[in-house]
Amino acid sequence: MWKNKNVWILLVGELVAGLGLWLGIIGNLEFMQKYVPSDFMKSMILFIGLLAGVMVGPLAGRVIDSYSKKKVLIYAGFGRTLSVLFMFLALEFESIILMICFMISIQISAAFYFPALQSVIPLIVEENDYIQMNGVHMNVSTISRVAGTALGGILLVVMDISFLYIGSMIAYIVILATTYLLSFEEPESNKVKGTKSGSFTEIIPVLKRTPVAMMALVLTFVPVLFLGGFNLMVINISETQGDAAIKGLLYTAEGVSFMIGAFFVKRITHLVEPITLMFIFSFVISLAHLSLFFSDVKIMSLISFGIFGFAVGCFFPIAATIFQTKIDKEYHGRFFSFRNMFDRIMFQVVLLGTGLFLDTIGLKYMVIVFGLISLVAVFTFGVQYFKIGANKRLLDNHKK
């Protein structure tokens, strides 16, 4: 795998793009903290961008399965680069509307870019390297997140916020240039322009035929319940503790723990069934969410984010590998777009719920509510899945 130039191009590109992404996110949080006093209004602004990504999801899936994945990555990267111009205008005119335009344009680009990227990974590495590649790819993404948030925090102290977006645009230009260097064989359906790859709804029967993929998809609800309100919780914890520096520390604790988890999970996947591991780490994520009840204590908030980071660092490489191996390659574009839509819809609900609860019942009681929902979901899905598995084994034995 390490001798494959495409692997290095993707990883280096992910590192640079991640730096740009997180410089922009830190800039967005600072902009909203300055001009948007309500947590619920902050969540509404983020919601609008995510909604735009959901709406183009079906189109993105069909395009990725019908056209060159490399070209989709290039056009999406170009759109992402241009979207930063909206933020420069938002800063100049102190305009929330222009920031919303930025959120919409960058989320539409992401709706094409990330499913295409997930579809490319199975085309450039062998199947036995999937979990390693997914783990390394997510670790690189996490390194860029830790470095990006740290750099963003430093730049905010010594420079104007506009320099964050200058750095973000430069990073997007670099990743756009590296995408041109990718070289790989694509499925036949991607080589014929305008070919009809089928309906987006074909994904539903595919998932019904692969219950392990269906359950892996449903289980992503648990980490999303935490991730959907991640940035708002970080801002709230910072305000509760009266410490601006805690924001960077929380991102760092979660990011470093994520990398440890992604490195650790490859060592245990041959010992325990992947879907069982997903249930275990979903349970750990639920406990991490509940432990944020003590987030007014600095060390406890760092421990909670660290536990969460380790658990999702194990969870997501397993999920990605299940999707890449259990779903046929001809459906990858539509499936990863469907998953992207599924995640975004959940993000929207959680985001709005987080903003509303922070404004009404506060962080302490919100994490109790969300943590208990996660625990109930894990136990309910677990009982259903393993009951189905037991029934299937009984039926197979009866046939024999």
Side-chain angles (χ1 to χ4, degrees):
M1 186 182 88
W2 297 113
K3 295 178 181 179
N4 187 335
K5 73 166 188 175
N6 289 314
V7 169
W8 287 102
I9 291 169
L10 267 188
L11 294 179
V12 171
E14 180 63 30
L15 179 64
V16 176
L19 284 171
L21 174 67
W22 283 94
L23 283 175
I25 288 174
I26 293 295
N28 294 345
L29 295 179
E30 183 69 16
F31 187 87
M32 286 193 292
Q33 207 162 355
K34 185 175 181 181
Y35 296 109
V36 186
S38 165
D39 284 318
F40 183 67
M41 286 306 297
K42 290 186 184 83
S43 68
M44 281 298 295
I45 291 169
L46 297 172
F47 169 85
I48 292 169
L50 290 170
L51 181 62
V54 169
M55 291 176 68
V56 301
L59 173 64
R62 290 195 298 271
V63 168
I64 293 166
D65 279 340
S66 301
Y67 295 86
S68 165
K69 291 176 173 60
K70 179 177 176 179
K71 287 183 178 179
V72 173
L73 288 173
I74 290 170
Y75 288 127
F78 186 68
R80 185 167 56 178
T81 304
L82 291 180
S83 68
V84 184
L85 296 175
F86 281 115
M87 207 58 220
F88 288 125
L89 294 172
L91 291 170
E92 178 66 26
F93 298 106
E94 297 181 353
S95 169
I96 299 297
I97 298 297
L98 286 169
M99 183 196 181
I100 291 172
C101 291
F102 164 71
M103 300 295 290
I104 290 172
S105 57
I106 202 163
Q107 289 292 347
I108 288 174
S109 298
F112 285 87
Y113 185 85
F114 289 108
L117 185 66
Q118 285 293 316
S119 301
V120 164
I121 289 175
L123 301 178
I124 65 173
V125 297
E126 299 296 330
E127 187 170 321
N128 60 334
D129 291 324
Y130 282 3
I131 196 159
Q132 183 180 13
M133 179 62 186
N134 287 317
V136 172
H137 182 258
M138 291 177 187
N139 266 344
V140 170
S141 177
T142 305
I143 291 170
S144 68
R145 173 153 52 90
V146 173
T149 51
L151 181 59
I154 293 169
L155 289 177
L156 277 178
V157 173
V158 298
M159 293 181 178
D160 184 77
I161 188 175
S162 60
F163 283 93
L164 293 179
Y165 294 103
I166 291 172
S168 187
M169 179 172 265
I170 291 171
Y172 292 153
I173 291 170
V174 171
I175 182 61
L176 183 59
T178 60
T179 303
Y180 279 96
L181 301 176
L182 287 171
S183 176
F184 53 88
E185 287 291 321
E186 300 206 41
E188 200 63 35
S189 61
N190 288 114
K191 295 180 180 178
V192 183
K193 280 195 171 185
T195 199
K196 291 185 178 179
S197 58
S199 171
F200 189 71
T201 56
E202 287 180 6
I203 293 303
I204 304 301
V206 171
L207 284 171
K208 287 181 178 178
R209 293 197 301 268
T210 50
V212 66
M214 173 69 91
M215 187 52 65
L217 182 67
V218 170
L219 275 177
T220 57
F221 165 79
V222 176
V224 167
L225 200 55
F226 193 111
L227 288 169
F230 195 97
N231 291 332
L232 292 178
M233 288 194 295
V234 167
I235 292 173
N236 193 276
I237 291 170
S238 174
E239 292 171 349
T240 300
Q241 296 183 8
D243 182 7
I246 193 67
K247 288 199 285 283
L249 292 175
L250 290 172
Y251 282 119
T252 302
E254 188 269 340
V256 171
S257 300
F258 185 102
M259 289 187 286
I260 294 170
F263 176 79
F264 169 78
V265 73
K266 187 177 185 294
R267 304 294 187 273
I268 60 170
T269 48
H270 65 286
L271 301 174
V272 184
E273 188 180 12
I275 195 67
T276 303
L277 287 173
M278 289 189 71
F279 277 107
I280 292 170
F281 292 119
S282 295
F283 177 73
V284 174
I285 290 168
S286 303
L287 296 182
H289 215 158
L290 287 169
S291 68
L292 280 174
F293 182 81
F294 305 102
S295 60
D296 53 333
V297 181
K298 182 177 288 188
I299 187 65
M300 282 304 301
S301 61
L302 292 171
I303 290 172
S304 297
F305 274 72
I307 292 171
F308 171 75
F310 177 82
V312 292
C314 296
F315 182 98
F316 282 122
I318 296 171
T321 303
I322 287 174
F323 298 144
Q324 290 162 351
T325 54
K326 302 299 182 183
I327 304 294
D328 292 339
K329 287 186 174 67
E330 65 183 288
Y331 294 104
H332 276 185
R334 279 164 289 168
F335 172 76
F336 287 116
S337 290
F338 177 82
R339 185 198 172 190
N340 200 32
M341 284 179 61
F342 183 73
D343 286 346
R344 284 166 184 269
I345 290 170
M346 289 194 295
F347 258 90
Q348 288 168 5
V349 174
V350 174
L351 186 59
L352 292 176
T354 300
L356 182 62
F357 284 151
L358 287 175
D359 277 348
T360 52
I361 63 175
L363 179 66
K364 280 179 172 286
Y365 294 106
M366 184 198 78
V367 296
I368 293 295
V369 172
F370 282 1
L372 289 176
I373 290 172
S374 294
L375 281 177
V376 170
V378 171
F379 282 112
T380 303
F381 297 151
V383 169
Q384 288 180 349
Y385 181 77
F386 290 109
K387 187 176 179 180
I388 290 169
N391 290 340
K392 187 175 183 299
R393 284 192 294 272
L394 284 173
L395 184 62
D396 290 341
N397 291 333
H398 179 71
K399 288 178 179 178
K400 289 177 183 178

